[in-house]
Amino acid sequence: MTAPNITWIAEDPVSRHVLEVAEKLADTSTTLLITGESGTGKDQLARWIHERGPRRDAPLLKIDCASLPAELVESELFGHERGAFTGAVARKPGRLELAQEGTIVLDEVAALAPGMQAKLLRVLEERTFERLGGTETLRMEARLMALTNTDMAKAVESGRFRNDLFFRLNVLAIYVPPLRERRADIVSLAKHFLQRLAPVHGRAEASFDADSLAMLQAYAWPGNVRELKNTVEHALVFGEKPSLSPRDFPEIVRTAGNERGITGMLRSLEDLEREAIKLTLEATHYKIGQAADMLGISRKTLLEKRKKYGLI
Ligand SMILES: Nc1ncnc2c1ncn2[C@@H]1O[C@H](COP(=O)(O)OP(=O)(O)OP(=O)(O)O)[C@@H](O)[C@H]1O
Ligand SMILES: [Mg+2]
């Protein structure tokens, strides 16, 4: 049995809760939907869950639905027979087959083309599939994890994503909150990345000074954990002394830190407003008139804010 090697730093009670839920989900084979803003750690969590479950000795294979053309998603997932299409010179097994009893991760599942959505639904219902151009029926043994940073309810509402497929994927769901909602993680994550990245940059002796830690804690991290990781790397590359100080960090992080009080507050107010609008839209099933009434603003203002916050 392989020992887990993926760590998921969880210092904040919010992330500890995520990890407790994840631990329970690791033992099941049920389809899992992992949602959360970009950079929050969805990929990392999918691997963490895979490594802690009974499928840990089988592969975890991933397909990025957003970056691959639709035809490629299909042949990557199901595989193809020789001659299935121009250029298919030999039989190629798909990831679903190669994953065996492991895990298939569909990254950015909201980007699946309509045709693929229908095919995936069938596979999930029947647990069987065929290679492209093939007639042999194969069983799906792998567990499926779908990841997305898109609001799926909204994608369903606007007709971009099939409702029936959403229900199939959403049997078990786990939401990874943005870093700004679990601030107690910031220092632990920063130290974790420092420890891992410092030797890579020949800076094994590097540490954060007190001001830089305070600055990291004050920043809003719109790019979440990925942004924090990049920031630590930036400081390692630009810092010259063993002790990293605020001037070694990217300007955006530094500036927010200098104007700490005001910038921090403005950001969190905006966050609150965005959250209120998002929840109201969801509660009213995106009925603009009703949502505007509940929020006590005009339709026009709501539409403007919805656009501003990317809630379309
Ligand atoms: N809790 C954590 N502990 C340690 N490392 C983490 C944690 N969360 C995220 N990371 C690291 O942060 C980076 C971003 O995480 P990841 O790629 O999992 O984000 P994501 O949610 O999949 O983003 P996207 O939606 O853009 O694909 C990765 O390098 C990952 O290893
Ligand atoms: Mg990802």
Side-chain angles (χ1 to χ4, degrees), residues 8-16 177-192 213 216-219 221 225 228:
W8 214 76
I9 304 288
E11 190 66 35
D12 196 287
V14 169
S15 344
R16 291 225 192 106
L179 187 53
R180 61 185 174 278
E181 288 173 17
R182 43 181 169 113
R183 294 194 162 269
D185 285 343
I186 296 173
V187 168
S188 299
L189 281 165
K191 289 185 172 164
H192 168 74
L213 283 180
L216 295 178
Q217 281 173 290
Y219 184 57
W221 301 110
V225 184
L228 176 57

Short mmCIF file of all heavy atoms in Angstrom, two decimals, residues 8-16 177-192 213 216-219 221 225 228:
data_model
loop_
_atom_site.label_atom_id
_atom_site.label_comp_id
_atom_site.label_asym_id
_atom_site.label_seq_id
_atom_site.Cartn_x
_atom_site.Cartn_y
_atom_site.Cartn_z
N TRP A 8 -2.52 18.45 2.73
CA TRP A 8 -3.50 19.52 2.58
C TRP A 8 -3.46 20.31 3.88
O TRP A 8 -4.04 19.89 4.88
CB TRP A 8 -4.90 18.97 2.30
CG TRP A 8 -5.68 19.88 1.39
CD1 TRP A 8 -5.51 20.00 0.03
CD2 TRP A 8 -6.71 20.79 1.75
NE1 TRP A 8 -6.37 20.94 -0.46
CE2 TRP A 8 -7.12 21.44 0.56
CE3 TRP A 8 -7.32 21.14 2.94
CZ2 TRP A 8 -8.11 22.40 0.53
CZ3 TRP A 8 -8.31 22.11 2.92
CH2 TRP A 8 -8.70 22.73 1.73
N ILE A 9 -2.73 21.43 3.86
CA ILE A 9 -2.58 22.23 5.06
C ILE A 9 -3.95 22.76 5.49
O ILE A 9 -4.66 23.36 4.69
CB ILE A 9 -1.63 23.43 4.79
CG1 ILE A 9 -0.29 22.95 4.26
CG2 ILE A 9 -1.51 24.33 6.01
CD1 ILE A 9 0.60 22.29 5.26
N ALA A 10 -4.31 22.52 6.73
CA ALA A 10 -5.61 22.98 7.23
C ALA A 10 -5.45 23.40 8.68
O ALA A 10 -5.47 22.58 9.57
CB ALA A 10 -6.65 21.86 7.10
N GLU A 11 -5.28 24.70 8.86
CA GLU A 11 -5.08 25.23 10.21
C GLU A 11 -6.38 25.88 10.70
O GLU A 11 -6.76 25.75 11.85
CB GLU A 11 -3.95 26.28 10.13
CG GLU A 11 -3.44 26.77 11.45
CD GLU A 11 -2.76 25.67 12.26
OE1 GLU A 11 -2.10 24.81 11.63
OE2 GLU A 11 -2.89 25.68 13.50
N ASP A 12 -7.04 26.55 9.78
CA ASP A 12 -8.28 27.25 10.11
C ASP A 12 -9.40 26.24 10.35
O ASP A 12 -9.47 25.22 9.66
CB ASP A 12 -8.65 28.16 8.93
CG ASP A 12 -9.68 29.19 9.31
OD1 ASP A 12 -10.87 28.82 9.49
OD2 ASP A 12 -9.31 30.37 9.41
N PRO A 13 -10.30 26.51 11.33
CA PRO A 13 -11.42 25.60 11.56
C PRO A 13 -12.23 25.31 10.29
O PRO A 13 -12.70 24.19 10.08
CB PRO A 13 -12.28 26.33 12.58
CG PRO A 13 -11.37 27.31 13.24
CD PRO A 13 -10.27 27.63 12.28
N VAL A 14 -12.34 26.33 9.42
CA VAL A 14 -13.09 26.15 8.17
C VAL A 14 -12.45 25.05 7.32
O VAL A 14 -13.12 24.16 6.80
CB VAL A 14 -13.16 27.48 7.38
CG1 VAL A 14 -13.68 27.27 5.97
CG2 VAL A 14 -14.01 28.49 8.12
N SER A 15 -11.12 25.08 7.20
CA SER A 15 -10.48 24.05 6.37
C SER A 15 -10.39 22.72 7.09
O SER A 15 -10.38 21.67 6.45
CB SER A 15 -9.07 24.42 5.94
OG SER A 15 -8.83 25.73 6.10
N ARG A 16 -10.32 22.77 8.42
CA ARG A 16 -10.32 21.49 9.14
C ARG A 16 -11.62 20.76 8.87
O ARG A 16 -11.65 19.55 8.70
CB ARG A 16 -10.18 21.73 10.64
CG ARG A 16 -8.83 22.24 10.99
CD ARG A 16 -8.28 21.50 12.21
NE ARG A 16 -7.12 22.21 12.67
CZ ARG A 16 -7.09 22.96 13.76
NH1 ARG A 16 -8.15 23.01 14.55
NH2 ARG A 16 -6.01 23.61 14.09
N PRO A 177 -13.61 26.67 0.38
CA PRO A 177 -13.80 28.11 0.51
C PRO A 177 -12.57 28.89 0.09
O PRO A 177 -11.45 28.37 0.16
CB PRO A 177 -14.05 28.31 2.02
CG PRO A 177 -14.28 26.96 2.58
CD PRO A 177 -13.58 25.99 1.67
N PRO A 178 -12.78 30.16 -0.35
CA PRO A 178 -11.63 30.99 -0.72
C PRO A 178 -10.73 31.22 0.49
O PRO A 178 -11.18 31.16 1.63
CB PRO A 178 -12.27 32.29 -1.20
CG PRO A 178 -13.67 32.28 -0.74
CD PRO A 178 -14.06 30.86 -0.53
N LEU A 179 -9.47 31.52 0.23
CA LEU A 179 -8.49 31.68 1.31
C LEU A 179 -8.88 32.80 2.27
O LEU A 179 -8.64 32.71 3.47
CB LEU A 179 -7.11 31.93 0.69
CG LEU A 179 -5.91 31.96 1.63
CD1 LEU A 179 -5.84 30.71 2.50
CD2 LEU A 179 -4.62 32.13 0.83
N ARG A 180 -9.53 33.85 1.73
CA ARG A 180 -9.88 34.99 2.60
C ARG A 180 -10.93 34.60 3.65
O ARG A 180 -11.16 35.32 4.61
CB ARG A 180 -10.39 36.17 1.77
CG ARG A 180 -11.63 35.86 0.98
CD ARG A 180 -12.07 37.00 0.06
NE ARG A 180 -13.19 36.56 -0.76
CZ ARG A 180 -13.07 35.87 -1.88
NH1 ARG A 180 -11.88 35.55 -2.32
NH2 ARG A 180 -14.14 35.49 -2.55
N GLU A 181 -11.58 33.46 3.46
CA GLU A 181 -12.57 33.01 4.45
C GLU A 181 -11.98 31.98 5.41
O GLU A 181 -12.70 31.34 6.17
CB GLU A 181 -13.79 32.42 3.73
CG GLU A 181 -14.62 33.50 3.08
CD GLU A 181 -15.76 32.94 2.23
OE1 GLU A 181 -16.12 31.75 2.38
OE2 GLU A 181 -16.28 33.71 1.39
N ARG A 182 -10.67 31.77 5.33
CA ARG A 182 -10.00 30.85 6.26
C ARG A 182 -8.59 31.38 6.51
O ARG A 182 -7.60 30.75 6.21
CB ARG A 182 -10.00 29.41 5.72
CG ARG A 182 -9.67 29.33 4.23
CD ARG A 182 -9.71 27.90 3.73
NE ARG A 182 -9.65 27.81 2.30
CZ ARG A 182 -8.62 27.29 1.62
NH1 ARG A 182 -7.58 26.83 2.25
NH2 ARG A 182 -8.66 27.23 0.31
N ARG A 183 -8.59 32.57 7.07
CA ARG A 183 -7.34 33.32 7.19
C ARG A 183 -6.31 32.66 8.07
O ARG A 183 -5.11 32.89 7.93
CB ARG A 183 -7.62 34.74 7.69
CG ARG A 183 -8.41 35.53 6.67
CD ARG A 183 -8.42 37.00 6.98
NE ARG A 183 -8.80 37.74 5.80
CZ ARG A 183 -7.93 38.19 4.92
NH1 ARG A 183 -6.65 38.03 5.10
NH2 ARG A 183 -8.36 38.83 3.85
N ALA A 184 -6.76 31.81 8.99
CA ALA A 184 -5.78 31.15 9.86
C ALA A 184 -4.89 30.18 9.09
O ALA A 184 -3.89 29.70 9.60
CB ALA A 184 -6.50 30.43 11.00
N ASP A 185 -5.25 29.90 7.84
CA ASP A 185 -4.41 29.02 7.01
C ASP A 185 -3.21 29.75 6.42
O ASP A 185 -2.24 29.12 6.00
CB ASP A 185 -5.21 28.46 5.82
CG ASP A 185 -6.20 27.37 6.23
OD1 ASP A 185 -6.03 26.83 7.33
OD2 ASP A 185 -7.11 27.08 5.44
N ILE A 186 -3.31 31.10 6.33
CA ILE A 186 -2.34 31.84 5.52
C ILE A 186 -0.89 31.59 5.97
O ILE A 186 -0.04 31.22 5.16
CB ILE A 186 -2.67 33.36 5.52
CG1 ILE A 186 -4.03 33.58 4.83
CG2 ILE A 186 -1.56 34.15 4.81
CD1 ILE A 186 -4.54 35.00 4.90
N VAL A 187 -0.65 31.75 7.28
CA VAL A 187 0.73 31.62 7.76
C VAL A 187 1.22 30.18 7.59
O VAL A 187 2.35 29.94 7.12
CB VAL A 187 0.84 32.10 9.22
CG1 VAL A 187 2.17 31.69 9.83
CG2 VAL A 187 0.68 33.62 9.27
N SER A 188 0.37 29.23 7.93
CA SER A 188 0.80 27.82 7.78
C SER A 188 1.11 27.49 6.33
O SER A 188 2.09 26.80 6.03
CB SER A 188 -0.31 26.87 8.23
OG SER A 188 -0.58 27.09 9.56
N LEU A 189 0.25 27.96 5.42
CA LEU A 189 0.49 27.69 4.00
C LEU A 189 1.77 28.37 3.54
O LEU A 189 2.59 27.78 2.83
CB LEU A 189 -0.69 28.17 3.16
CG LEU A 189 -1.92 27.27 3.13
CD1 LEU A 189 -3.13 28.02 2.57
CD2 LEU A 189 -1.65 26.01 2.29
N ALA A 190 1.96 29.63 3.97
CA ALA A 190 3.15 30.37 3.55
C ALA A 190 4.41 29.63 4.03
O ALA A 190 5.37 29.47 3.27
CB ALA A 190 3.11 31.80 4.11
N LYS A 191 4.39 29.16 5.26
CA LYS A 191 5.56 28.45 5.78
C LYS A 191 5.77 27.12 5.06
O LYS A 191 6.90 26.71 4.79
CB LYS A 191 5.41 28.22 7.29
CG LYS A 191 5.56 29.53 8.06
CD LYS A 191 5.52 29.31 9.56
CE LYS A 191 5.87 30.62 10.28
NZ LYS A 191 5.49 30.58 11.69
N HIS A 192 4.66 26.48 4.75
CA HIS A 192 4.73 25.21 4.00
C HIS A 192 5.40 25.44 2.63
O HIS A 192 6.30 24.71 2.24
CB HIS A 192 3.31 24.67 3.85
CG HIS A 192 3.15 23.55 2.87
ND1 HIS A 192 3.57 22.27 3.13
CD2 HIS A 192 2.61 23.52 1.62
CE1 HIS A 192 3.29 21.50 2.10
NE2 HIS A 192 2.71 22.22 1.17
N LEU A 213 4.97 38.51 7.62
CA LEU A 213 3.86 37.62 8.01
C LEU A 213 2.58 38.41 8.23
O LEU A 213 1.49 38.00 7.80
CB LEU A 213 4.23 36.84 9.28
CG LEU A 213 5.18 35.66 9.08
CD1 LEU A 213 5.47 34.97 10.40
CD2 LEU A 213 4.62 34.65 8.07
N LEU A 216 1.17 39.33 4.84
CA LEU A 216 0.52 38.19 4.17
C LEU A 216 -0.86 37.93 4.77
O LEU A 216 -1.82 37.63 4.06
CB LEU A 216 1.38 36.93 4.28
CG LEU A 216 2.73 36.96 3.56
CD1 LEU A 216 3.49 35.66 3.80
CD2 LEU A 216 2.56 37.18 2.07
N GLN A 217 -0.96 38.10 6.07
CA GLN A 217 -2.25 37.85 6.72
C GLN A 217 -3.29 38.91 6.39
O GLN A 217 -4.49 38.65 6.46
CB GLN A 217 -2.06 37.79 8.24
CG GLN A 217 -1.51 36.46 8.69
CD GLN A 217 -1.15 36.48 10.16
OE1 GLN A 217 -0.20 37.14 10.57
NE2 GLN A 217 -1.94 35.80 10.95
N ALA A 218 -2.82 40.12 6.05
CA ALA A 218 -3.75 41.22 5.80
C ALA A 218 -4.28 41.22 4.36
O ALA A 218 -5.31 41.82 4.08
CB ALA A 218 -3.05 42.55 6.08
N TYR A 219 -3.60 40.56 3.48
CA TYR A 219 -3.94 40.63 2.06
C TYR A 219 -5.19 39.77 1.77
O TYR A 219 -5.48 38.82 2.51
CB TYR A 219 -2.74 40.14 1.25
CG TYR A 219 -2.90 40.23 -0.24
CD1 TYR A 219 -3.19 41.44 -0.85
CD2 TYR A 219 -2.75 39.09 -1.04
CE1 TYR A 219 -3.33 41.52 -2.23
CE2 TYR A 219 -2.88 39.17 -2.42
CZ TYR A 219 -3.18 40.39 -3.01
OH TYR A 219 -3.32 40.45 -4.35
N TRP A 221 -5.97 37.94 -1.06
CA TRP A 221 -5.71 36.73 -1.84
C TRP A 221 -6.81 36.37 -2.84
O TRP A 221 -7.38 35.28 -2.78
CB TRP A 221 -5.44 35.54 -0.90
CG TRP A 221 -4.28 35.80 -0.02
CD1 TRP A 221 -4.31 36.01 1.33
CD2 TRP A 221 -2.92 35.95 -0.42
NE1 TRP A 221 -3.04 36.30 1.80
CE2 TRP A 221 -2.17 36.26 0.74
CE3 TRP A 221 -2.25 35.87 -1.64
CZ2 TRP A 221 -0.79 36.49 0.71
CZ3 TRP A 221 -0.88 36.09 -1.67
CH2 TRP A 221 -0.17 36.40 -0.51
N VAL A 225 -4.86 30.17 -2.82
CA VAL A 225 -3.63 29.50 -2.39
C VAL A 225 -2.56 29.56 -3.48
O VAL A 225 -1.38 29.71 -3.21
CB VAL A 225 -3.92 28.03 -1.98
CG1 VAL A 225 -2.66 27.38 -1.44
CG2 VAL A 225 -5.03 27.99 -0.93
N LEU A 228 -0.78 32.75 -3.22
CA LEU A 228 0.11 32.76 -2.05
C LEU A 228 1.41 32.00 -2.38
O LEU A 228 2.51 32.44 -2.06
CB LEU A 228 -0.61 32.13 -0.85
CG LEU A 228 0.20 31.96 0.43
CD1 LEU A 228 0.78 33.28 0.91
CD2 LEU A 228 -0.67 31.36 1.54
#
